[in-house]
Amino acid sequence: MASYEEKAVIAITKEWIACFCAVAEKRNFTAAAESLYIAESTASKRIVQLEKYLGVKLFERNKRSVRLTAAGQVFLSECQAYLQYGDDLLRRVREAADRAVPLRIAVLAALAHHYAPFFYTFCQQHPEYPLDIRMATQRELLLQLQNGRTDLIIGLQEELPTDRDIQMTALHQESEGILVPADDAFAQQGPVHLEALKEYPFVLLQQEEAPHTLGRFYRHCHQLGFHPRVVGTSANIMEVVFWVEIHKGLSVLPRHMIDFITTSARFLPLSGSVPLVVSAAWKELGRSGRCVLEALKRYDAT
Protein backbone atom coordinates (compact mmCIF):
# COMPACT_ATOMS: atom_id res chain seq x y z
CA MET A 1 0.00 0.00 0.00
CA ALA A 2 1.27 3.49 -0.89
CA SER A 3 2.49 5.60 2.02
CA TYR A 4 0.99 9.02 2.82
CA GLU A 5 4.03 10.71 1.21
CA GLU A 6 3.65 8.63 -1.98
CA LYS A 7 -0.04 9.52 -2.22
CA ALA A 8 0.83 13.20 -1.84
CA VAL A 9 3.38 12.92 -4.66
CA ILE A 10 0.79 11.28 -6.94
CA ALA A 11 -1.77 13.98 -6.09
CA ILE A 12 0.45 16.92 -7.03
CA THR A 13 2.54 15.45 -9.87
CA LYS A 14 0.52 17.16 -12.59
CA GLU A 15 0.85 20.53 -10.84
CA TRP A 16 4.62 20.08 -10.72
CA ILE A 17 4.78 19.07 -14.38
CA ALA A 18 2.55 21.95 -15.53
CA CYS A 19 4.74 24.39 -13.58
CA PHE A 20 7.95 22.87 -14.95
CA CYS A 21 6.68 23.14 -18.54
CA ALA A 22 5.60 26.76 -18.00
CA VAL A 23 9.01 27.78 -16.62
CA ALA A 24 10.77 25.90 -19.46
CA GLU A 25 8.62 27.74 -22.02
CA LYS A 26 8.77 31.23 -20.49
CA ARG A 27 12.39 31.00 -19.22
CA ASN A 28 11.18 33.18 -16.37
CA PHE A 29 9.53 32.31 -13.05
CA THR A 30 7.41 35.46 -12.92
CA ALA A 31 5.95 34.97 -16.40
CA ALA A 32 5.41 31.25 -15.75
CA ALA A 33 3.56 31.96 -12.49
CA GLU A 34 1.34 34.54 -14.20
CA SER A 35 0.42 32.08 -16.95
CA LEU A 36 -0.66 29.55 -14.28
CA TYR A 37 -2.42 32.18 -12.09
CA ILE A 38 -0.25 31.31 -9.10
CA ALA A 39 2.25 33.27 -7.02
CA GLU A 40 5.89 33.32 -8.12
CA SER A 41 6.89 31.84 -4.76
CA THR A 42 4.51 28.93 -5.36
CA ALA A 43 6.03 28.25 -8.78
CA SER A 44 9.55 28.36 -7.34
CA LYS A 45 8.55 26.00 -4.51
CA ARG A 46 7.05 23.48 -6.94
CA ILE A 47 10.23 23.38 -9.02
CA VAL A 48 12.36 22.89 -5.89
CA GLN A 49 10.06 20.05 -4.77
CA LEU A 50 10.22 18.47 -8.23
CA GLU A 51 14.02 18.63 -8.36
CA LYS A 52 14.25 17.17 -4.87
CA TYR A 53 11.89 14.34 -5.78
CA LEU A 54 13.77 13.54 -9.03
CA GLY A 55 17.19 13.99 -7.46
CA VAL A 56 18.46 16.08 -10.38
CA LYS A 57 18.84 19.75 -11.23
CA LEU A 58 16.41 20.79 -13.98
CA PHE A 59 17.30 24.48 -14.40
CA GLU A 60 20.41 26.64 -14.32
CA ARG A 61 19.38 29.89 -12.65
CA ASN A 62 20.97 33.30 -12.42
CA LYS A 63 19.63 36.79 -11.79
CA ARG A 64 18.76 37.41 -15.44
CA SER A 65 17.72 34.08 -16.92
CA VAL A 66 16.61 30.51 -16.42
CA ARG A 67 17.70 27.72 -18.77
CA LEU A 68 17.25 23.97 -18.88
CA THR A 69 20.02 21.59 -17.90
CA ALA A 70 20.66 18.50 -20.02
CA ALA A 71 18.48 16.52 -17.59
CA GLY A 72 15.83 19.23 -17.81
CA GLN A 73 15.71 18.99 -21.61
CA VAL A 74 15.12 15.23 -21.44
CA PHE A 75 12.50 15.66 -18.73
CA LEU A 76 10.69 18.38 -20.76
CA SER A 77 10.31 16.03 -23.73
CA GLU A 78 8.85 13.33 -21.48
CA CYS A 79 6.53 15.80 -19.72
CA GLN A 80 5.11 17.09 -22.99
CA ALA A 81 4.35 13.53 -24.08
CA TYR A 82 2.75 12.84 -20.67
CA LEU A 83 0.50 15.91 -20.85
CA GLN A 84 -0.50 15.12 -24.43
CA TYR A 85 -1.38 11.56 -23.42
CA GLY A 86 -3.51 12.89 -20.54
CA ASP A 87 -5.36 15.28 -22.85
CA ASP A 88 -5.96 12.53 -25.42
CA LEU A 89 -7.22 10.16 -22.75
CA LEU A 90 -9.60 12.75 -21.34
CA ARG A 91 -10.90 13.54 -24.84
CA ARG A 92 -11.55 9.86 -25.62
CA VAL A 93 -13.37 9.32 -22.33
CA ARG A 94 -15.55 12.40 -22.88
CA GLU A 95 -16.33 11.42 -26.44
CA ALA A 96 -17.46 8.00 -25.23
CA ALA A 97 -19.63 9.69 -22.60
CA ASP A 98 -21.11 11.97 -25.29
CA ARG A 99 -22.87 9.00 -26.82
CA ALA A 100 -24.74 8.26 -23.60
CA VAL A 101 -25.25 11.65 -21.92
CA PRO A 102 -27.42 14.30 -23.66
CA LEU A 103 -25.73 17.59 -24.47
CA ARG A 104 -27.47 20.25 -22.36
CA ILE A 105 -28.32 23.35 -24.40
CA ALA A 106 -30.06 26.51 -23.17
CA VAL A 107 -31.43 28.97 -25.74
CA LEU A 108 -32.68 32.51 -25.13
CA ALA A 109 -36.46 32.09 -25.22
CA ALA A 110 -36.90 34.87 -27.76
CA LEU A 111 -34.59 33.00 -30.16
CA ALA A 112 -36.42 29.67 -29.86
CA HIS A 113 -38.46 30.06 -33.05
CA HIS A 114 -35.36 30.94 -35.04
CA TYR A 115 -33.47 27.82 -33.91
CA ALA A 116 -36.36 25.32 -33.76
CA PRO A 117 -35.88 24.17 -37.41
CA PHE A 118 -32.16 23.77 -36.80
CA PHE A 119 -32.54 21.54 -33.75
CA TYR A 120 -35.23 19.42 -35.43
CA THR A 121 -32.99 18.79 -38.44
CA PHE A 122 -29.90 18.16 -36.32
CA CYS A 123 -31.67 15.54 -34.20
CA GLN A 124 -32.89 13.80 -37.36
CA GLN A 125 -29.41 13.76 -38.90
CA HIS A 126 -27.47 12.91 -35.72
CA PRO A 127 -29.45 10.45 -33.59
CA GLU A 128 -26.14 9.39 -32.02
CA TYR A 129 -25.95 12.76 -30.23
CA PRO A 130 -28.94 13.20 -27.88
CA LEU A 131 -29.78 16.79 -26.96
CA ASP A 132 -31.52 18.24 -23.91
CA ILE A 133 -32.73 21.66 -25.11
CA ARG A 134 -34.30 24.23 -22.78
CA MET A 135 -35.45 27.83 -23.14
CA ALA A 136 -34.28 30.46 -20.66
CA THR A 137 -34.17 34.19 -20.03
CA GLN A 138 -30.87 35.99 -20.63
CA ARG A 139 -30.16 36.04 -16.88
CA GLU A 140 -30.89 32.32 -16.53
CA LEU A 141 -28.48 31.57 -19.39
CA LEU A 142 -25.63 33.21 -17.52
CA LEU A 143 -26.32 31.45 -14.25
CA GLN A 144 -26.76 28.02 -15.84
CA LEU A 145 -23.44 28.18 -17.67
CA GLN A 146 -21.52 29.60 -14.72
CA ASN A 147 -22.99 26.99 -12.35
CA GLY A 148 -22.37 24.07 -14.70
CA ARG A 149 -26.07 23.27 -15.23
CA THR A 150 -25.79 23.52 -19.02
CA ASP A 151 -23.07 22.79 -21.57
CA LEU A 152 -23.85 25.29 -24.32
CA ILE A 153 -25.88 28.50 -24.31
CA ILE A 154 -27.16 30.69 -27.15
CA GLY A 155 -27.99 34.32 -26.36
CA LEU A 156 -27.04 37.96 -26.87
CA GLN A 157 -23.28 38.39 -26.74
CA GLU A 158 -23.42 41.71 -24.90
CA GLU A 159 -25.04 39.96 -21.92
CA LEU A 160 -23.00 36.73 -21.91
CA PRO A 161 -20.33 36.12 -19.24
CA THR A 162 -16.69 37.06 -19.86
CA ASP A 163 -15.10 34.61 -17.40
CA ARG A 164 -11.63 33.37 -18.37
CA ASP A 165 -12.80 29.76 -18.67
CA ILE A 166 -15.73 30.57 -20.98
CA GLN A 167 -15.32 30.46 -24.76
CA MET A 168 -17.60 32.26 -27.19
CA THR A 169 -18.31 32.50 -30.91
CA ALA A 170 -20.63 34.83 -32.82
CA LEU A 171 -23.45 33.20 -34.81
CA HIS A 172 -25.32 36.09 -36.43
CA GLN A 173 -26.34 39.72 -35.98
CA GLU A 174 -29.77 41.07 -35.06
CA SER A 175 -31.12 44.57 -35.69
CA GLU A 176 -33.46 46.39 -33.35
CA GLY A 177 -36.72 47.98 -34.39
CA ILE A 178 -40.03 49.52 -33.40
CA LEU A 179 -43.25 47.51 -33.24
CA VAL A 180 -46.27 49.57 -34.33
CA PRO A 181 -49.96 48.78 -35.02
CA ALA A 182 -50.52 47.69 -38.62
CA ASP A 183 -52.87 50.64 -39.25
CA ASP A 184 -50.55 53.27 -37.74
CA ALA A 185 -49.21 55.96 -40.05
CA PHE A 186 -45.65 54.74 -39.45
CA ALA A 187 -46.53 51.17 -40.54
CA GLN A 188 -46.14 51.97 -44.25
CA GLN A 189 -42.76 53.64 -43.81
CA GLY A 190 -39.24 52.20 -43.94
CA PRO A 191 -36.68 52.66 -41.14
CA VAL A 192 -37.95 55.05 -38.47
CA HIS A 193 -35.90 57.47 -36.39
CA LEU A 194 -36.47 57.27 -32.63
CA GLU A 195 -36.76 61.06 -32.30
CA ALA A 196 -39.90 60.98 -34.45
CA LEU A 197 -41.59 58.83 -31.77
CA LYS A 198 -40.90 60.93 -28.68
CA GLU A 199 -44.57 61.88 -28.26
CA TYR A 200 -45.76 58.24 -28.44
CA PRO A 201 -46.42 56.01 -25.42
CA PHE A 202 -44.34 52.81 -25.17
CA VAL A 203 -45.07 49.30 -23.90
CA LEU A 204 -41.91 47.35 -23.13
CA LEU A 205 -40.62 43.98 -22.08
CA GLN A 206 -39.36 43.91 -18.52
CA GLN A 207 -35.65 44.62 -18.06
CA GLU A 208 -34.62 41.00 -17.36
CA GLU A 209 -36.20 39.77 -20.62
CA ALA A 210 -34.31 42.14 -22.94
CA PRO A 211 -31.70 43.92 -20.79
CA HIS A 212 -29.36 45.12 -23.51
CA THR A 213 -32.10 46.26 -25.90
CA LEU A 214 -33.84 48.30 -23.22
CA GLY A 215 -30.59 49.72 -21.88
CA ARG A 216 -29.65 51.00 -25.33
CA PHE A 217 -33.18 52.28 -25.91
CA TYR A 218 -33.12 54.45 -22.77
CA ARG A 219 -29.58 55.71 -23.52
CA HIS A 220 -30.58 56.60 -27.10
CA CYS A 221 -33.64 58.52 -25.84
CA HIS A 222 -31.47 60.37 -23.31
CA GLN A 223 -29.00 61.35 -26.06
CA LEU A 224 -31.92 62.74 -28.09
CA GLY A 225 -33.04 64.81 -25.11
CA PHE A 226 -36.28 63.10 -24.06
CA HIS A 227 -37.50 60.47 -21.64
CA PRO A 228 -39.85 57.84 -23.15
CA ARG A 229 -43.39 57.68 -21.78
CA VAL A 230 -43.71 54.04 -20.70
CA VAL A 231 -47.33 53.04 -20.02
CA GLY A 232 -46.83 49.30 -19.50
CA THR A 233 -44.19 46.59 -18.98
CA SER A 234 -44.51 42.82 -19.10
CA ALA A 235 -42.33 39.69 -18.94
CA ASN A 236 -44.57 38.14 -21.63
CA ILE A 237 -43.74 39.04 -25.23
CA MET A 238 -47.23 38.04 -26.38
CA GLU A 239 -48.76 40.52 -23.95
CA VAL A 240 -46.50 43.29 -25.26
CA VAL A 241 -47.53 42.47 -28.84
CA PHE A 242 -51.20 42.49 -27.79
CA TRP A 243 -50.80 45.93 -26.23
CA VAL A 244 -49.30 47.24 -29.48
CA GLU A 245 -52.18 45.72 -31.48
CA ILE A 246 -54.78 47.52 -29.35
CA HIS A 247 -52.90 50.83 -29.67
CA LYS A 248 -51.83 51.02 -26.03
CA GLY A 249 -48.33 51.98 -27.19
CA LEU A 250 -45.35 51.18 -29.40
CA SER A 251 -42.55 48.81 -28.43
CA VAL A 252 -38.83 48.45 -29.11
CA LEU A 253 -37.70 44.89 -29.80
CA PRO A 254 -34.76 43.00 -31.32
CA ARG A 255 -35.57 41.52 -34.72
CA HIS A 256 -35.45 37.91 -33.48
CA MET A 257 -38.75 38.54 -31.69
CA ILE A 258 -40.72 39.20 -34.89
CA ASP A 259 -41.79 35.53 -34.95
CA PHE A 260 -44.23 36.48 -32.20
CA ILE A 261 -45.77 39.28 -34.26
CA THR A 262 -49.18 38.87 -35.91
CA THR A 263 -50.59 40.60 -38.98
CA SER A 264 -52.05 43.27 -36.69
CA ALA A 265 -48.59 44.76 -36.03
CA ARG A 266 -45.56 45.81 -38.07
CA PHE A 267 -41.85 45.69 -37.26
CA LEU A 268 -39.94 48.74 -38.52
CA PRO A 269 -36.11 48.90 -38.49
CA LEU A 270 -34.79 51.54 -36.11
CA SER A 271 -32.59 54.02 -37.95
CA GLY A 272 -29.07 54.29 -36.53
CA SER A 273 -29.40 51.17 -34.40
CA VAL A 274 -26.22 49.17 -33.74
CA PRO A 275 -26.79 45.45 -34.43
CA LEU A 276 -26.99 42.99 -31.54
CA VAL A 277 -24.73 39.93 -31.81
CA VAL A 278 -26.18 36.47 -31.10
CA SER A 279 -23.47 34.14 -29.82
CA ALA A 280 -22.90 30.66 -28.45
CA ALA A 281 -20.86 30.23 -25.25
CA TRP A 282 -19.47 27.19 -23.45
CA LYS A 283 -16.76 26.03 -21.06
CA GLU A 284 -15.80 22.64 -22.50
CA LEU A 285 -17.34 20.70 -25.39
CA GLY A 286 -16.95 17.07 -26.39
CA ARG A 287 -17.54 15.66 -29.84
CA SER A 288 -21.32 16.18 -29.74
CA GLY A 289 -20.92 19.80 -28.62
CA ARG A 290 -18.40 20.56 -31.35
CA CYS A 291 -20.69 18.95 -33.92
CA VAL A 292 -23.63 21.11 -32.77
CA LEU A 293 -21.48 24.25 -32.78
CA GLU A 294 -20.23 23.75 -36.33
CA ALA A 295 -23.76 22.99 -37.53
CA LEU A 296 -25.05 26.16 -35.82
CA LYS A 297 -22.46 28.26 -37.66
CA ARG A 298 -23.50 26.77 -40.99
CA TYR A 299 -27.20 27.29 -40.21
CA ASP A 300 -26.78 30.97 -39.38
CA ALA A 301 -24.48 31.54 -42.36
CA THR A 302 -27.27 30.59 -44.80
Side-chain angles (χ1 to χ4, degrees), residues 25-288:
E25 177 189 350
K26 303 293 184 181
R27 303 295 179 91
N28 181 282
F29 275 88
T30 301
E34 289 176 352
S35 71
L36 296 171
Y37 305 106
I38 60 175
E40 183 178 350
S41 59
T42 301
S44 180
K45 182 178 179 181
R46 286 179 183 174
I47 296 301
V48 170
Q49 290 174 323
L50 181 58
E51 290 179 324
K52 183 177 179 181
Y53 174 68
L54 294 173
V56 298
K57 195 171 184 180
L58 298 172
F59 293 102
E60 294 288 354
R61 307 169 177 82
N62 59 45
K63 292 183 179 180
R64 289 183 294 179
S65 65
V66 177
R67 64 184 181 87
L68 288 166
T69 62
Q73 291 174 351
V74 173
F75 188 61
L76 176 61
S77 177
E78 296 298 325
C79 285
Q80 290 171 335
Y82 166 80
L83 292 174
Q84 184 61 53
Y85 172 78
D87 290 342
D88 290 344
L89 177 62
L90 186 59
R91 175 180 53 78
R92 290 195 298 270
V93 169
R94 285 177 174 164
E95 287 176 354
D98 277 349
R99 301 182 182 277
V101 180
L103 181 73
R104 300 167 301 173
I105 302 175
V107 183
L108 182 65
L111 292 168
H113 284 280
H114 173 75
Y115 286 109
F118 164 78
F119 285 117
Y120 174 77
T121 301
F122 183 90
C123 290
Q124 294 295 310
Q125 295 177 346
H126 298 280
E128 72 276 21
Y129 295 140
L131 304 180
D132 178 8
I133 309 165
R134 308 290 177 90
M135 292 189 295
T137 65
Q138 190 73 26
R139 175 176 173 77
E140 289 169 343
L141 289 179
L142 315 185
L143 294 176
Q144 288 180 23
L145 185 61
Q146 290 169 330
N147 297 336
R149 288 185 283 125
T150 194
D151 304 304
L152 178 69
I153 64 174
I154 302 173
L156 299 180
Q157 180 172 297
E158 290 83 352
E159 299 297 328
L160 293 180
T162 55
D163 306 34
R164 275 200 188 109
D165 60 341
I166 291 177
Q167 301 179 66
M168 194 180 307
T169 188
L171 297 175
H172 70 274
Q173 291 187 337
E174 293 277 356
S175 61
E176 293 172 307
I178 298 294
L179 189 64
V180 304
D183 58 357
D184 188 272
F186 279 109
Q188 308 308 317
Q189 298 183 18
V192 60
H193 196 281
L194 188 58
E195 190 172 18
L197 306 175
K198 61 183 179 181
E199 301 300 327
Y200 280 74
F202 283 89
V203 289
L204 304 173
L205 277 172
Q206 290 180 358
Q207 185 72 20
E208 59 270 22
E209 299 300 318
H212 199 75
T213 294
L214 295 184
R216 298 206 302 185
F217 170 65
Y218 281 114
R219 286 195 299 274
H220 196 176
C221 291
H222 178 73
Q223 291 168 358
L224 293 172
F226 75 96
H227 186 78
R229 181 161 58 94
V230 179
V231 296
T233 62
S234 175
N236 187 328
I237 177 63
M238 297 305 297
E239 186 169 34
V240 171
V241 172
F242 173 72
W243 285 343
V244 172
E245 291 174 336
I246 63 172
H247 294 254
K248 182 174 181 177
L250 311 183
S251 191
V252 56
L253 297 170
R255 188 173 181 81
H256 60 251
M257 291 187 173
I258 64 175
D259 290 319
F260 296 94
I261 299 171
T262 68
T263 56
S264 299
R266 294 285 185 275
F267 179 88
L268 303 177
L270 186 58
S271 179
S273 174
V274 178
L276 295 168
V277 180
V278 174
S279 294
W282 67 95
K283 288 187 176 181
E284 289 185 63
L285 292 178
R287 179 177 292 180
S288 64

